[in-house]
mmCIF file of all heavy atoms in Angstrom:
data_model
loop_
_atom_site.group_PDB
_atom_site.id
_atom_site.type_symbol
_atom_site.label_atom_id
_atom_site.label_comp_id
_atom_site.label_asym_id
_atom_site.label_seq_id
_atom_site.Cartn_x
_atom_site.Cartn_y
_atom_site.Cartn_z
ATOM 1 N N SER E 413 6.139 38.081 -20.991
ATOM 2 C CA SER E 413 6.135 37.189 -22.161
ATOM 3 C C SER E 413 7.194 36.094 -22.049
ATOM 4 O O SER E 413 7.131 35.078 -22.736
ATOM 5 C CB SER E 413 6.354 37.988 -23.444
ATOM 6 O OG SER E 413 7.633 38.599 -23.433
ATOM 7 N N SER E 414 8.167 36.299 -21.169
ATOM 8 C CA SER E 414 9.217 35.284 -20.989
ATOM 9 C C SER E 414 8.746 34.101 -20.142
ATOM 10 O O SER E 414 9.374 33.046 -20.151
ATOM 11 C CB SER E 414 10.452 35.915 -20.345
ATOM 12 O OG SER E 414 10.231 36.160 -18.964
ATOM 13 N N LEU E 415 7.659 34.275 -19.409
ATOM 14 C CA LEU E 415 7.150 33.206 -18.545
ATOM 15 C C LEU E 415 6.563 32.080 -19.398
ATOM 16 O O LEU E 415 5.713 32.324 -20.264
ATOM 17 C CB LEU E 415 6.091 33.756 -17.586
ATOM 18 C CG LEU E 415 6.577 34.845 -16.613
ATOM 19 C CD1 LEU E 415 5.415 35.423 -15.824
ATOM 20 C CD2 LEU E 415 7.643 34.294 -15.675
ATOM 21 N N LYS E 416 7.001 30.849 -19.163
ATOM 22 C CA LYS E 416 6.611 29.717 -19.997
ATOM 23 C C LYS E 416 5.733 28.687 -19.279
ATOM 24 O O LYS E 416 4.928 28.016 -19.907
ATOM 25 C CB LYS E 416 7.861 28.997 -20.533
ATOM 26 C CG LYS E 416 8.787 29.884 -21.365
ATOM 27 C CD LYS E 416 8.069 30.481 -22.557
ATOM 28 C CE LYS E 416 8.967 31.426 -23.329
ATOM 29 N NZ LYS E 416 8.224 32.099 -24.423
ATOM 30 N N GLN E 417 5.894 28.582 -17.977
ATOM 31 C CA GLN E 417 5.101 27.576 -17.259
ATOM 32 C C GLN E 417 5.136 27.820 -15.746
ATOM 33 O O GLN E 417 6.150 28.216 -15.186
ATOM 34 C CB GLN E 417 5.618 26.158 -17.554
ATOM 35 C CG GLN E 417 4.711 25.060 -17.005
ATOM 36 C CD GLN E 417 5.249 23.674 -17.314
ATOM 37 O OE1 GLN E 417 6.457 23.457 -17.343
ATOM 38 N NE2 GLN E 417 4.363 22.718 -17.554
ATOM 39 N N PHE E 418 3.967 27.562 -15.111
ATOM 40 C CA PHE E 418 3.861 27.529 -13.655
ATOM 41 C C PHE E 418 3.348 26.138 -13.283
ATOM 42 O O PHE E 418 2.398 25.636 -13.902
ATOM 43 C CB PHE E 418 2.844 28.556 -13.146
ATOM 44 C CG PHE E 418 3.310 29.979 -13.191
ATOM 45 C CD1 PHE E 418 3.252 30.704 -14.380
ATOM 46 C CD2 PHE E 418 3.782 30.603 -12.054
ATOM 47 C CE1 PHE E 418 3.666 32.025 -14.426
ATOM 48 C CE2 PHE E 418 4.202 31.930 -12.095
ATOM 49 C CZ PHE E 418 4.145 32.645 -13.282
ATOM 50 N N LYS E 419 3.953 25.530 -12.294
ATOM 51 C CA LYS E 419 3.407 24.256 -11.809
ATOM 52 C C LYS E 419 3.715 24.081 -10.328
ATOM 53 O O LYS E 419 4.688 24.644 -9.805
ATOM 54 C CB LYS E 419 3.928 23.076 -12.625
ATOM 55 C CG LYS E 419 5.412 22.848 -12.637
ATOM 56 C CD LYS E 419 5.743 21.637 -13.521
ATOM 57 C CE LYS E 419 7.245 21.403 -13.592
ATOM 58 N NZ LYS E 419 7.589 20.245 -14.454
ATOM 59 N N VAL E 420 2.867 23.320 -9.664
ATOM 60 C CA VAL E 420 3.023 23.082 -8.230
ATOM 61 C C VAL E 420 2.731 21.614 -7.945
ATOM 62 O O VAL E 420 1.836 21.019 -8.551
ATOM 63 C CB VAL E 420 2.085 24.003 -7.405
ATOM 64 C CG1 VAL E 420 0.626 23.819 -7.795
ATOM 65 C CG2 VAL E 420 2.271 23.764 -5.912
ATOM 66 N N GLU E 421 3.513 21.027 -7.042
ATOM 67 C CA GLU E 421 3.319 19.634 -6.660
ATOM 68 C C GLU E 421 3.758 19.436 -5.209
ATOM 69 O O GLU E 421 4.607 20.179 -4.701
ATOM 70 C CB GLU E 421 4.093 18.696 -7.589
ATOM 71 C CG GLU E 421 5.588 18.965 -7.639
ATOM 72 C CD GLU E 421 6.299 18.113 -8.675
ATOM 73 O OE1 GLU E 421 5.622 17.442 -9.458
ATOM 74 O OE2 GLU E 421 7.552 18.142 -8.679
ATOM 75 N N PRO E 422 3.180 18.453 -4.525
ATOM 76 C CA PRO E 422 3.543 18.234 -3.123
ATOM 77 C C PRO E 422 4.892 17.541 -2.984
ATOM 78 O O PRO E 422 5.321 16.815 -3.876
ATOM 79 C CB PRO E 422 2.410 17.329 -2.616
ATOM 80 C CG PRO E 422 1.982 16.566 -3.829
ATOM 81 C CD PRO E 422 2.140 17.514 -4.984
ATOM 82 N N ILE E 423 5.535 17.772 -1.857
ATOM 83 C CA ILE E 423 6.722 17.002 -1.480
ATOM 84 C C ILE E 423 6.202 15.796 -0.702
ATOM 85 O O ILE E 423 5.722 15.943 0.426
ATOM 86 C CB ILE E 423 7.696 17.826 -0.605
ATOM 87 C CG1 ILE E 423 8.096 19.123 -1.319
ATOM 88 C CG2 ILE E 423 8.907 16.990 -0.229
ATOM 89 C CD1 ILE E 423 8.875 18.932 -2.593
ATOM 90 N N ILE E 424 6.242 14.634 -1.321
ATOM 91 C CA ILE E 424 5.647 13.429 -0.722
ATOM 92 C C ILE E 424 6.470 12.990 0.489
ATOM 93 O O ILE E 424 7.658 12.692 0.366
ATOM 94 C CB ILE E 424 5.562 12.276 -1.746
ATOM 95 C CG1 ILE E 424 4.837 12.727 -3.024
ATOM 96 C CG2 ILE E 424 4.882 11.059 -1.123
ATOM 97 C CD1 ILE E 424 3.420 13.129 -2.835
ATOM 98 N N ASP E 425 5.803 12.961 1.645
ATOM 99 C CA ASP E 425 6.448 12.522 2.884
ATOM 100 C C ASP E 425 5.448 11.662 3.647
ATOM 101 O O ASP E 425 4.396 12.165 4.073
ATOM 102 C CB ASP E 425 6.869 13.744 3.716
ATOM 103 C CG ASP E 425 7.684 13.360 4.945
ATOM 104 O OD1 ASP E 425 7.804 12.154 5.221
ATOM 105 O OD2 ASP E 425 8.198 14.265 5.636
ATOM 106 N N SER E 426 5.751 10.380 3.808
ATOM 107 C CA SER E 426 4.832 9.452 4.487
ATOM 108 C C SER E 426 4.575 9.864 5.939
ATOM 109 O O SER E 426 3.562 9.505 6.526
ATOM 110 C CB SER E 426 5.385 8.030 4.437
ATOM 111 O OG SER E 426 6.673 7.972 5.014
#
Side-chain angles (χ1 to χ4, degrees):
S413 63
S414 75
L415 299 174
K416 301 302 176 185
Q417 189 180 34
F418 286 81
K419 60 181 178 181
V420 57
E421 58 186 9
I423 304 296
I424 307 297
D425 186 353
S426 57

